[in-house]
Amino acid sequence: MMDKINAIITGIGGYVPEDVITNEDISKMVDTSDEWITSRVGIKERRILQGEGVGLSFMGTKAVEELFAKTNTNPEDVQLVLCATTTPDYAFPTTASMIAYSTGCKNAFTFDMQAACAGFIHALEVAANFIRSGRYSKIVVVSGDKMTSITDYTDRTTCPLFGDGCGAVLIEPTTEELGILDANLHTDGSGLEHLHMKGGGSAYPSSHETVDKRMHYVYQDGQYVFKHAVTLMADASIEIVERNRLTRDDIDWIVPHQANLRIIDAVARRMGVKEKVMINIQKYGNTSAATIPLCLWEYEDKLKKGDTMILTAFGAGFSWGAVYLKWAYDGKKA
Ligand code: UT7
């Protein structure tokens, strides 16, 4: 009998821009305060990618270059580059094609996929299935957003929330019981009206009118999204824990999407896990598809082979879910 193939993460790279926007900076733009943002959301500062014509592919290229250096990967061996983002450089071609080109992945095919803030966990499951098929052995998932490009700095209900960043992971096969062992992913399209960007797509193509009506920015019904994020991330996580017969003690790490510290705390509380929750929202804010890989990137040195993790996210669509992952290596790859 052939051994079952599992898909493991064998390395991680990340990138955040150097320029910082503090809560003080935001307080000068809109009627808000460090106290409000810190207590209601848990963010102290976020990063912004600046420069004309500089988009997500710039951060993605940096993250993938770091990934290749840390894993001694020859770019020509990569068979697929998959980019999860809501803020591609261009409507077309794909950002994945740009990143594959800039990093020398000459033999890869590429595509972008979008699941908003849940992009990374959705992309992991997609990549894992390419590996499980037995036809692919080296896949790069690059997941990030330049959220400041769609943030309205006159809207105090959204502008403190978002920042820019990108992560990248290498996915390879193993016959050990490690890697992406289960995924519990969901979509409910009725979320559209509560979280979207109206302009710039085929429904409302860019025009003077869409610009005048400020339709090229994130719109969010914060309270509605908050309630659904807490309930659905916790439900998806508990379901995946139960169906894999895990107990609270088996879980070494919760890796939650970083949208609001109060959401993270509520999900951890419902799961009965207080410690071992990865948190970096205070430094980067909500970087959408980048939040989970940037957590893994920063916590890499603390991770051990066999560590059991539940990754969970919620975002526009609504798209959400949880992934059960067993980490595949010890410590930080140099
Ligand atoms: O990543 C994709 C998924 N997104 C999320 O998961 C985000 C989910 N939502 C949230 O995290 C929160 O709902 C927000 C952070 C967006 C807002 O926090 P909230 O505790 O839900 O605030 P709220 O919208 O209920 O507003 C409370 C009060 C209001 O004032 P009144 O009506 O009580 O007088 C707002 O006008 O806070 C006011 N407010 C602000 N005050 C100071 C709203 N934004 C601000 C602000 N500074 N920036």
Side-chain angles (χ1 to χ4, degrees), residues 26 30-33 36-37 40-41 116-117 155-162 195 220-227 229-230 233 257-263 286 288 314-316 318:
I26 301 265
V30 290
D31 180 15
T32 189
S33 63
W36 192 94
I37 301 170
R40 304 301 292 174
V41 201
C117 296
D155 174 9
R156 74 170 182 172
T157 71
T158 53
C159 79
L161 306 177
F162 300 107
L195 182 52
Q220 174 171 253
D221 175 353
Q223 277 193 18
Y224 188 92
V225 174
F226 185 101
K227 282 182 207 146
V230 169
M233 280 164 71
H257 172 50
Q258 313 277 306
N260 188 318
L261 192 56
R262 290 184 296 137
I263 297 177
N286 181 348
S288 187
F314 181 91
F318 298 133

Side-chain angles (χ1 to χ4, degrees), residues 230-259:
V230 169
T231 308
L232 295 172
M233 280 164 71
D235 286 352
S237 301
I238 290 167
E239 200 174 289
I240 205 166
V241 164
E242 287 178 351
R243 78 184 184 199
N244 288 283
R245 297 193 170 76
L246 300 170
T247 68
R248 196 185 301 179
D249 295 336
D250 295 327
I251 299 169
D252 296 299
W253 297 99
I254 306 271
V255 196
H257 172 50
Q258 313 277 306

Side-chain angles (χ1 to χ4, degrees), residues 16-35:
V16 291
E18 278 164 25
D19 292 322
V20 172
I21 309 181
T22 63
N23 288 351
E24 275 70 35
D25 297 332
I26 301 265
S27 308
K28 289 179 194 138
M29 301 176 203
V30 290
D31 180 15
T32 189
S33 63
D34 175 46
E35 199 281 326

Side-chain angles (χ1 to χ4, degrees), residues 4-5 28 32 37 63 98 114 134 145 168 174 177 207-208 251 261 306 311 314 321:
K4 185 180 159 208
I5 302 171
K28 289 179 194 138
T32 189
I37 301 170
M98 298 172 69
Q114 195 210 104
D145 276 295
T174 184
E177 194 63 9
S207 67
H208 288 289
I251 299 169
L261 192 56
L311 284 42
F314 181 91

